[in-house]
Amino acid sequence: MSLFTQLFDPGRDAALVTGAGNGIGRAIAQALVSEGVRTVFADVHRDTVSAAAASSSRPELAVPWIGDLASRDACDALITDTRAAVGRVTLFVHSAAPPRRESDHALAVTDETWEQMRAVNVDAGFHLAREFSRELIAAREPGSILMLTSLHAATPRNLPHYSTSKAALAMLVKELAKTLGRFGIRVNALVPGAIAAGGFVADPSLTRHIPLGRLGRSEDLAPMALAVLSSKVSAYVTGASFVVDGGLSLTNWFDPPVLDEL
Ligand SMILES: NC(=O)c1ccc[n+]([C@@H]2O[C@H](COP(=O)([O-])OP(=O)(O)OC[C@H]3O[C@@H](n4cnc5c(N)ncnc54)[C@H](O)[C@@H]3O)[C@@H](O)[C@H]2O)c1
């Protein structure tokens, strides 16, 4: 008999994916819909997230939501709207992240940019994960949470606001996994390499550092995301980090930042 006839239970499971307007978040949200899971696509950009939901294989299962997750009020609205649209969230994916600009190195990044990065990556991730977990615990239901971290949780990126926020998120995964395991809520990290998805504009020469010989695509992440989210595949997996990078992390490829403007 086949091990994996169905990864999720469409009658019980419902998903929220942040950052679903672009790149990896969009690929994961669309993949969940293709598995028959009602999914809220959350993003700050109306046009991209509406298009992402509409171009899903089953648009009737895809609910676009627009708001700025740097705001606590917006996060609370997302929780309320998600409950109304798809019911209790059993699968939560946090992929939203503000744009990464090479000019925001340690001597240039503004307080506002620093704050925005932390607010979306860490604060929103924590608040949403905790509230969805509280709902699952109250209902005595299991669930699964996946945070998009980065190789730069452990290696400098010349973007200190980004790398520190991803390091915090990586530790948040471990903290939540340790606390929530007893309730059947699994929490894991997905760690992309260089994924040409828009949020990261890669120099094509980077491919020489990638053993599998090409930059990644958003679609390279979605199958692993679904496997980790699914308790059919990963029932005994929590607090873990899954690197999908074609082998890029076998090398450190970034030079120090350019400081011409000083
Ligand atoms: N692309 C890569 O190479 C790479 C590498 C490592 C980690 N990641 C992580 O993977 C995730 C997805 O990255 P990506 O490159 O696929 O796409 P991306 O960075 O373009 O996607 C992020 C999405 O988040 C949304 N967003 C930004 N600020 C928001 C806010 N305040 N409120 C709500 N939504 C907001 C954006 O509109 C965008 O659609 C990010 O968390 C990123 O840090 C990406």
Side-chain angles (χ1 to χ4, degrees):
M1 200 178 90
S2 166
L3 261 183
F4 309 125
T5 44
Q6 202 167 24
L7 289 178
F8 303 101
D9 176 355
R12 189 188 85 86
D13 284 315
L16 166 68
V17 181
T18 69
N22 188 51
I24 298 164
R26 179 176 59 197
I28 294 172
Q30 291 188 333
L32 284 164
V33 166
S34 294
E35 296 297 320
V37 178
R38 290 162 290 136
T39 301
V40 172
F41 289 48
D43 205 286
V44 72
H45 289 303
R46 178 178 302 276
D47 291 353
T48 57
V49 80
S50 299
S55 62
S56 298
S57 60
R58 295 178 61 187
E60 74 278 11
L61 299 179
V63 181
W65 182 95
I66 296 99
D68 180 355
L69 296 176
S71 142
R72 174 58 64 93
D73 288 348
C75 289
D76 287 336
L78 174 56
I79 291 165
T80 305
D81 295 347
T82 297
R83 195 182 300 123
V86 299
R88 189 183 307 119
V89 167
T90 59
L91 308 167
F92 169 48
V93 179
H94 188 42
S95 186
R100 286 80 79 194
R101 292 179 297 257
E102 302 306 322
S103 54
D104 288 331
H105 56 72
L107 298 176
V109 65
T110 64
D111 290 353
E112 189 189 9
T113 300
W114 181 286
E115 167 64 23
Q116 176 86 359
M117 189 64 80
R118 198 209 70 240
V120 175
N121 292 3
V122 187
D123 301 1
F126 176 54
H127 184 58
L128 293 169
R130 185 164 67 168
E131 292 311 309
F132 292 132
S133 296
R134 283 176 167 152
E135 291 185 12
L136 290 169
I137 291 165
R140 298 180 184 279
E141 289 282 345
S144 183
I145 295 171
L146 189 64
M147 303 285 193
L148 271 290
T149 62
S150 170
L151 296 177
H152 302 293
T155 308
R157 168 69 173 84
N158 302 332
L159 301 177
H161 55 314
Y162 182 69
S163 55
T164 57
S165 73
K166 292 297 184 180
L169 197 56
M171 181 50 78
L172 182 61
V173 164
K174 296 179 188 182
E175 286 281 358
L176 292 177
K178 198 165 181 178
T179 299
L180 298 175
R182 74 199 76 178
F183 302 109
I185 300 171
R186 301 182 298 102
V187 188
N188 292 288
L190 189 61
V191 188
I195 311 302
F200 169 66
V201 180
D203 180 339
S205 67
L206 194 53
T207 53
R208 74 182 191 279
H209 297 298
I210 302 176
L212 290 185
R214 64 169 173 85
L215 295 172
R217 298 183 279 264
S218 301
E219 293 68 27
D220 291 320
L221 275 293
M224 182 66 90
L226 265 53
V228 180
L229 285 168
S230 168
S231 291
K232 297 268 177 64
V233 184
S234 303
Y236 198 54
V237 177
T238 197
S241 251
F242 294 86
V243 177
V244 180
D245 73 346
L248 175 62
S249 51
L250 300 174
T251 183
N252 184 339
W253 63 99
F254 269 100
D255 295 326
V258 175
L259 300 177
D260 285 348
E261 66 272 29
L262 291 180

